[in-house]
Each structure stands twice: as C-alpha cells, then as structure tokens.
Amino acid sequence: MSVSLFSQKDNGTVKMERFVEDLLSKMTLDDKIGQMNQLNLEGINDTLLTKIKAGQIGSMLNITDPKEINLVQETAVKDSRLGIPLIIGRDIIHGFKTIFPIPLGQAASFNPQIVEDGARVAATEARERGIHWTFAPMLDISRDARWGRIAESLGEDTYLAGKLGAAVVKGFQGNDLSSDNSLAACVKHFVGYGASEGGRDYNSTNIPERLMRNVYLPPFREAIEAGAVTLMTSFNDNDGIPSSGNSFLLKDILRKEWQFDGFVVSDWASMSEMLSHGYAVDRKDVAMLAANAGIDMEMVSETYVDYLKELVTEKKVSLADIDNYVRNILKVKYRLGLFDNPYVDTSKVSTAYSERHLQTARRAAVESAILLKNEDVLPLHVNQKIAIIGPMADAKHDQMGTWVFDGDKNYTVTPLKALQRGYKNVSFIYEPILNYSRDKNKTFFEKAKKAVGEADVAVVFLGEESILSGEAHSLSNINLIGVQSELLQVVKSCGKPVVLVVMAGRPLTIERDLPYADAVLYNFHPGTMGGPAIWDLLFGKENPSGKLPVTFVREVGQIPMYYNHNNTGRPAQWIPTLDEIPTEAQQTSLGNTSFYLDSGDKPLFPFGYGLSYSKFKYSGLQLSSDKIKQGETLMVKATVKNVSNVDGDEVVQLYVRDLVGSIARPVKELKGFTKIHLKAGESKQVEFQLTPEELAFYGRDLQKKAEAGDFKLWVGPNSAEGLEGGFSLQ
Ligand code: NOJ
C-alpha cells in the first residue's frame, strides 16, 4: 500500500483522530503489537527487512545514515501491509553535529532561551538527516555528583529543571512537529533515577510519594505541559517497584492526573530487566507487567512481539489498552508528518556546523561557564605571555562531553586552537605535561616549571575526560583525577599568577586545589565551541555570568548535600574544626547539632553561585503586601545595580521559605530567576510574581495546595545570600 493513501496533512486534532481511528480499524492484533516494538539497528540485513515487511517494527533507534533510513522507511511504507512509517529515534542529548555544553553546563546559564536555541539547532541538524525523535531532555533531579549521569541533568533543583526542561522541549519540537527542523522530545527517565543509591548507576531508589511529588515529578509535568509528546521510563526500582512495571506512576499519575496523551517508551531493555530485578518470572510476565503498567512501546527487548498476542488471548492484557497504546504512537507519527512524507531528502545541503549553529553553541558555552574564584587575575591582558598547561587545553574529543555519537571531534575548537585562531597576537607557550586527565606520568613536570617561569601567567586546563561521566560512569572519588592536582601545585610553586580552567562532567571536589589557583573558571564539558568561549571570558571580551545549577561539595562524603534541604530539629550552630575539639571532651561538648566534624554543614560553593567581572549591589526589596490571600499573587521587586565599571549579566534569584507546614519544609526553595544585563553603573528594578501555584506543595494529606502561614523570602545572587523579606499567606 502506498503512503499517499494516508496523505492528509492537517494538524487539527479531529482530523488526526479520525485518521488514526480509521487506520486502527484496519489493523490486526499483530499489526498493533508491531507498532509497539522498537529495535536497535544491528545492521541492514534480511532479518530486519523481513520484520519490517511483516509489520513487526514500529520504531528504530540508532539508524542515522539517511540512505539507510530511506531504505527502511520505503520497506515499511511500500512493503508492509498497512504501510505505516517508522519513527526513527536517536540520543541527541546536547547537540547532533554541533555539540553544545553538556546539559548540566547549559543549566548553569540559568537562561531558558540558551537551552531552547541549542535544542533548536540540534533538531535542525538531526531532522534533516532523517531522525524524528530524540531521547531528551533528561529531567532527573541530581543531588549526587558521583552519579555519572549528573552530566546529562539540568541540576539539583526542581524549579530550574522544570523551566529549562520546558524550554528544551520547545526548542526540539518548535510549533509544528512536522516541520523539517523539529524533533519529538522524550522526557526521561520517569522517575527518580537521579536518586540512585550511592550514585551507583541503575541502582535502587527509595523516594516516598510525597517527596516524589514535591521534588522529582514536577519537572516532568512542566515539560509535558510544554508539549513533550513522549516519555521514557527509568531503570531504577523505587521502593522495590521497577519503573517499567509501575502502573501508579504511568497510569494513575501520568495518564489520569496529568492527562498525558503522548506515548511512553521503556528504556533500553528496562522491561526485560524486570527479570534481574526479581520482579518478573519470565519474559511473558515482563510483557504482561509492562503492558498493564502502561508502556506503549518497548525498547529493544522484544517481549511484546513475543508474548502480547498470547496475553491478550488469555485476557491477561486488555485489547482496549493495546488500542490506546497504538493510538498514542500513531498520533505522534501523524503529528510528525510521517504519513505525508516519511523520507529524508538526501540532496538537501546539511546545515551541520553552519556558522550560525557554531555561534549559537559558542554563546551557550559563554553563558555556561562559572567563575568560582578571581583574586584580581582575570581578565587577562592580551599582552601577557601565557603558559598554557594541562591535558584539557587541546582535548578535542573530551571537550565535547558525554553522549556524543554524531559530533565530529575535528570540528571542536579547543582552547589551544582558539587562541591560535582568535588571538593571534597573544604570545604563549603550550606544554600539556599530561596527555589525558588520568595520565599519571610526572616525567614532564619540570617542563611545566620552565614554561611557567618564562611566562607572565599560567592558565592550567584540568578536568575529566568525557568518558569519566555519563551513563554507567559513576565515581566514588570526585577529586581531580590522577596527578592533576600535583601538576597544579607545581605550577603554583613557580610564583606566577595561576588561572585554573576546569572542564568536567560533574562538580568535582576542588577544595584542595583552590589554594593553588588565583582564579577558577569552571566549565562543564563545553562542546564544540568551548575554546573560543573560554578565551573570550578569560580576556574579558565576555563577562562570566553562569551560576551553579548544583551544589559543589567540599568532600565526597558530604553527598548528598543540596541547598533546599529541610531544617532538621537540630540545625548546625557552632562548628569547631577537628583540632578545636578537646581530647576526652564530653559527649555533648559540641552542642549536638547536625554537621560533619571534619567538613561542617556548608558546601564549598552553594547552588546559584557564580562571580562576574562586574560587581552587583542588591537593594530596595519591596513586596506588594505583607499579607496575601489564597489565590492572590505577590509582587516582589528589588533593585540591582552594577557598581563596577564593567558591563555584565546577573542572574537574579528569588527564594522562599515556608516557615511552618503540615510537613517540614525546605530551608529555601528557588521560585524565580531572571538574567539581566547591566551596563557599568546601571541599575534595574527586577520584578517577580510569586503565584499561589509556586507556594503550593503536597502536604500531609498529599493534596497540592499553598498552606496559610508565614513565609520568608530572599532576592539575591545565589542560594546563600540575598535581601530578606517576609509575608504571610492567609
Ligand atoms: C539507555 C539510556 O538510559 C537512555 O537514556 C537512552 O536514551 C537509551 N539507552 C537509548 O540509547
């Protein structure tokens, strides 16, 4: 049957539904189950093509050659009984060809427009190669830097991840999924995966329903409200129930409460892994549990194709559920325009790495860098002679970060290359000393001394190779790896100013390194255009404006440590150093409050922190009232002045504390942020609207509402500082 029979381009829901119902009515149970099956490309071979012809595959992932995509599409459309096109998926996590900073880096921009623009570029480059669907954004709240996938996250905060996640969805999907620069987004991993025990990947989580609803679920809801058409389940079992078999999450919350009308895909073999979890007896049981839990499409493990028919005949899975799942899938295919044109135009000139895309990536890298320390060293002067040291100065592969399948490292502009190209008159000496971050060979340390001795300033590029973060790449020690800290100390011993530039997939524990650097610019792996962005920042052509989307701990043993924790019954008060504790001191000598004897109760850098070359002064906090009624919006205003002689951008942050609730409430919660540009000497009044929705939470009765009582509120530059006010909700 030819695809033209289905050619009814129309975005109207009624027309789509009529089309889908009509198609569904022609489908056998086998056809339906075929649509629910997603396979990985293991090579174009007869087995694959036979399955496609038999209508046993609804989707493929990891097929990226446009010619191969056209071949499988043609087989599906022309040679299968109903001619239903395939939906082609790929992990496009932070760029397709042009690689953007890793998502954690983009989150440091606190700028929804930056992440939306990045997703749009990725969608443009991928859709023109025949890909329809990306498995992003990852909205797992991540409070554990050991977990390798923190790199893919939008950080530790529910509010920030929700706002940025919605922006990513907008960027991928645009206004029209069928346009040639849109991708279907897939919010993942539903849910709680970021809380895996000990930061070990795939591990169990233990998140009670209230915490789930207050912290882990909201970003998903926000992204779905922004239009995300698909969702992926997670690998973890939460309190014993694997997500791919959890009907409470998938049916009760996602479908009934949230009215999600897209489709749900399992994660890679996360259905059949219910066997390893000890939650299913055999593959047939897997298919039954997942189908009854609410999974529309199975990624790679093929239990649906093998057993669903039997299960329907035995009435263990209802045909009505199967029909719904297939409807959900067909609707997304329809909205992607696949029934009109499933093919990729191979003659189309690729926009990959176009100047516009590269500049968008460069902008994202600029806004994603965080200045953590600056003792009058930065910005550098172009007439200073620079010693460029360290394994990350010219690491074209590693600078791109985790989850890069399609980006070509030869397009990466490393700091070394960027200096040679963009700052031709700057004189420098380059000595990597270590070949890669784990390199333990100290043979060349003497060379570092020589180079730094001849220079005015040392810029040391340290960090992590991309392979040290990402899926299945967790670490129990998150110090700078190998002998990098020693290298930094050797450089510092030369007596010249030292600038440390970190490129990493996670917040590393760099407290022990800080004394050896006069300035620290932290970049989560910055992508293709990291190099030019970094020099523009170091030379002051750009002014750092990134803020930490995640708490930086002092010691790995402090994890989990996040700014929006509860107060406890005994918040820390007086914290002595270990040496101040007298020998044979009384059990109660320290006052019995909550802290570590060796690392206190504070992180190294708090959430929201980041310096600038400008200095900003906050004043004039005004609230529209000191009392609001339920349903009313509070207006919050504050003035921010750039009291320096350098133009700059500041992320102004609004935090709230609900002092007493039906459950203990966090000491602070981000409820608003805005990035403003202030010229030297300029002042701006910033205005936030605090809506009842933002004050609402799931309390003792598990109902979402704003509870009456007193609130504190702060407007400031990070989660630890700010102008303080208060109001009450009646
Ligand atoms: C497993 C990962 O958990 C998921 O994020 C990814 O999208 C799939 N594999 C597909 O590659």
Side-chain angles (χ1 to χ4, degrees):
M1 183 173 285
S2 131
V3 72
S4 60
L5 283 181
F6 294 127
S7 297
Q8 314 175 19
K9 187 157 176 115
D10 187 307
N11 288 326
T13 314
V14 177
K15 211 160 182 185
M16 171 177 75
E17 283 172 357
R18 207 176 289 144
F19 173 86
V20 166
E21 288 312 314
D22 181 50
L23 181 51
L24 199 61
S25 71
K26 297 183 182 121
M27 294 173 82
T28 62
L29 183 53
D30 285 318
D31 292 327
K32 292 174 187 172
I33 294 167
Q35 285 304 304
M36 298 167 68
N37 187 28
Q38 183 187 50
L39 284 193
N40 183 45
L41 178 74
E42 311 282 354
I44 302 280
N45 51 38
D46 285 348
T47 321
L48 174 71
L49 297 178
T50 308
K51 281 187 178 178
I52 297 176
K53 281 181 200 163
Q56 287 170 2
I57 303 178
S59 170
M60 289 192 67
L61 76 159
N62 295 333
I63 173 165
T64 51
D65 176 341
K67 291 203 188 79
E68 291 186 350
I69 291 176
N70 278 344
L71 174 68
V72 293
Q73 275 307 23
E74 204 174 344
T75 309
V77 167
K78 296 198 175 140
D79 301 338
S80 75
R81 196 177 71 80
L82 289 169
I84 302 173
L86 303 168
I87 172 169
I88 308 293
R90 179 74 162 168
D91 287 289
I92 297 157
I93 308 300
H94 51 110
F96 181 60
K97 295 286 181 187
T98 306
I99 301 303
F100 284 70
I102 56 170
L104 189 59
Q106 293 187 45
S109 73
F110 274 67
N111 186 345
Q113 195 61 52
I114 284 285
V115 300
E116 182 178 334
D117 293 349
R120 198 80 202 132
V121 166
T124 307
E125 293 186 352
R127 186 74 189 254
E128 70 190 16
R129 307 316 286 157
I131 294 161
H132 314 126
W133 179 24
T134 175
F135 306 120
M138 185 182 104
L139 300 177
D140 298 311
I141 295 303
S142 307
R143 295 168 162 181
D144 191 332
R146 293 168 298 182
W147 190 48
R149 301 197 83 167
I150 194 171
E152 291 173 60
S153 80
L154 295 167
E156 75 183 29
D157 185 62
T158 303
Y159 183 87
L160 180 66
K163 293 285 168 262
L164 297 183
V168 176
V169 169
K170 261 170 81 186
F172 281 137
Q173 297 194 169
N175 298 325
D176 175 8
L177 269 184
S178 72
S179 77
D180 60 4
N181 55 1
S182 291
L183 288 177
C186 181
V187 290
K188 70 186 188 185
H189 305 86
F190 201 68
V191 57
Y193 182 35
S196 65
E197 260 183 10
R200 294 183 296 277
D201 210 354
Y202 314 121
N203 228 293
S204 300
T205 59
N206 284 293
I207 308 171
E209 183 180 341
R210 212 178 340 257
L211 188 65
M212 190 66 103
R213 287 184 180 276
N214 284 328
V215 172
Y216 293 89
L217 287 171
F220 285 89
R221 185 163 199 177
E222 194 149 353
I224 285 168
E225 278 166 9
V229 290
T230 77
L231 172 142
M232 186 188 290
T233 57
S234 57
F235 286 124
N236 56 301
D237 68 288
N238 187 49
D239 195 15
I241 306 182
S243 301
S244 297
N246 193 328
S247 63
F248 172 65
L249 292 173
L250 297 173
K251 284 197 162 162
D252 298 348
I253 294 187
L254 183 67
R255 296 289 182 193
K256 287 196 199 118
E257 280 182 36
W258 298 0
Q259 302 283 307
F260 177 61
D261 66 355
F263 75 81
V264 175
V265 64
S266 72
D267 200 347
W268 185 285
S270 69
M271 279 173 47
S272 59
E273 285 168 13
M274 288 197 280
L275 292 168
S276 311
H277 279 287
Y279 190 72
V281 254
D282 52 24
R283 294 182 73 248
K284 183 171 170 185
D285 200 25
V286 164
M288 185 183 78
L289 287 165
N292 288 334
I295 296 206
D296 306 40
M297 184 182 278
E298 177 175 17
M299 189 185 284
V300 308
S301 47
E302 288 196 282
T303 64
Y304 276 174
V305 270
D306 290 345
Y307 297 103
L308 262 191
K309 193 170 181 187
E310 224 173 291
L311 287 162
V312 171
T313 317
E314 291 167 5
K315 301 212 172 338
K316 289 185 177 145
V317 170
S318 83
L319 191 56
D321 272 352
I322 304 277
D323 281 348
N324 275 335
Y325 299 157
V326 176
R327 263 187 203 108
N328 296 336
I329 295 166
L330 294 178
K331 279 196 232 161
V332 173
K333 289 188 175 183
Y334 182 96
R335 292 182 57 193
L336 280 161
L338 301 185
F339 291 103
D340 286 312
N341 180 10
Y343 300 114
V344 44
D345 178 357
T346 51
S347 67
K348 203 166 166 189
V349 180
S350 162
T351 62
Y353 307 110
S354 69
E355 194 48 31
R356 192 176 71 76
H357 292 182
L358 292 174
Q359 288 316 319
T360 311
R362 187 189 141 280
R363 187 72 229 148
V366 165
E367 294 209 23
S368 300
I370 309 116
L371 183 65
L372 293 177
K373 177 175 180 181
N374 186 16
E375 288 181 352
D376 294 329
V377 189
L378 294 176
L380 301 173
H381 302 289
V382 281
N383 51 2
Q384 282 174 301
K385 183 165 183 183
I386 303 174
I388 298 175
I389 310 286
M392 298 300 289
D394 194 29
K396 47 188 181 180
H397 171 80
D398 292 317
Q399 173 179 320
M400 292 193 292
T402 184
W403 277 116
V404 173
F405 289 149
D406 303 287
D408 179 349
K409 67 176 180 183
N410 294 314
Y411 282 89
T412 301
V413 189
T414 63
L416 180 68
K417 219 190 267 173
L419 193 67
Q420 287 162 337
R421 281 192 199 161
Y423 290 88
K424 291 204 173 76
N425 298 327
V426 173
S427 115
F428 69 91
I429 314 162
Y430 169 55
E431 288 290 0
I433 311 295
L434 301 169
N435 286 322
Y436 53 99
S437 67
R438 283 167 296 164
D439 186 355
K440 293 199 189 68
N441 181 355
K442 296 196 253 178
T443 323
F444 303 111
F445 275 24
E446 284 306 311
K447 276 191 167 180
K449 285 190 185 159
K450 185 167 177 292
V452 178
E454 288 168 17
D456 300 315
V457 57
V459 182
V460 188
F461 292 88
L462 305 179
E464 289 184 311
E465 295 149 70
S466 56
I467 196 61
L468 297 178
S469 61
E471 185 179 349
H473 289 80
S474 294
L475 288 170
S476 61
N477 177 334
I478 53 170
N479 289 336
L480 276 169
I481 206 155
V483 294
Q484 295 184 98
S485 293
E486 288 172 59
L487 173 59
L488 184 68
Q489 290 171 23
V490 167
V491 170
K492 181 66 183 167
S493 71
C494 303
K496 302 284 171 70
V498 177
V499 177
L500 169 62
V501 177
V502 182
M503 291 190 201
R506 54 164 64 76
L508 296 168
T509 39
I510 53 167
E511 182 172 40
R512 65 183 183 151
D513 304 301
L514 290 181
Y516 303 98
D518 302 290
V520 179
L521 184 71
Y522 206 95
N523 298 264
F524 294 107
H525 291 128
T528 306
M529 294 298 280
I534 287 170
W535 286 117
D536 286 352
L537 288 161
L538 295 181
F539 283 120
K541 197 168 157 191
E542 298 280 2
N543 192 345
S545 63
K547 299 275 187 169
L548 295 179
V550 65
T551 302
F552 269 47
V553 294
R554 298 177 53 197
E555 297 282 344
V556 73
Q558 288 185 317
I559 293 173
M561 183 173 266
Y562 45 92
Y563 83 95
N564 48 354
H565 57 84
N566 290 351
N567 201 33
T568 81
R570 294 186 176 193
Q573 286 163 7
W574 166 67
I575 302 177
T577 65
L578 265 186
D579 295 335
E580 283 169 334
I581 305 172
T583 53
E584 301 201 4
Q586 290 284 321
Q587 168 73 31
T588 54
S589 65
L590 304 183
N592 290 2
T593 62
S594 175
F595 62 89
Y596 292 106
L597 292 180
D598 54 352
S599 62
D601 73 327
K602 297 272 182 302
L604 182 61
F605 296 111
F607 174 85
Y609 181 82
L611 303 171
S612 158
Y613 299 147
S614 311
K615 293 261 169 299
F616 302 108
K617 195 166 166 293
Y618 285 68
S619 65
L621 179 67
Q622 286 174 35
L623 275 58
S624 55
S625 172
D626 59 359
K627 287 188 196 70
I628 53 167
K629 295 203 180 72
Q630 290 284 352
E632 281 178 4
T633 294
L634 182 76
M635 306 297 290
V636 181
K637 291 180 188 169
T639 301
V640 186
K641 181 167 188 190
N642 182 346
V643 291
S644 69
N645 54 11
V646 188
D647 299 354
D649 292 337
E650 170 71 336
V651 178
V652 184
Q653 302 162 42
L654 170 71
Y655 294 90
V656 161
R657 175 167 178 187
D658 187 348
L659 292 179
V660 180
S662 65
I663 57 167
R665 305 286 295 128
V667 293
K668 271 190 183 177
E669 289 179 289
L670 184 70
K671 294 296 176 191
F673 60 89
T674 178
K675 196 166 200 168
I676 54 169
H677 182 74
L678 288 173
K679 290 199 187 330
E682 191 186 4
S683 289
K684 270 186 191 156
Q685 193 177 52
V686 175
E687 188 173 306
F688 294 101
Q689 295 189 359
L690 195 55
T691 64
E693 175 62 19
E694 274 145 12
L695 298 176
F697 64 99
Y698 289 87
R700 178 117 139 236
D701 57 2
L702 272 174
Q703 299 299 312
K704 190 175 182 192
K705 55 179 179 285
E707 296 181 0
D710 292 336
F711 289 76
K712 268 193 184 175
L713 165 156
W714 296 261
V715 174
N718 61 60
S719 64
E721 296 170 73
L723 304 171
E724 189 179 313
F727 66 97
S728 64
L729 173 69
Q730 293 174 329

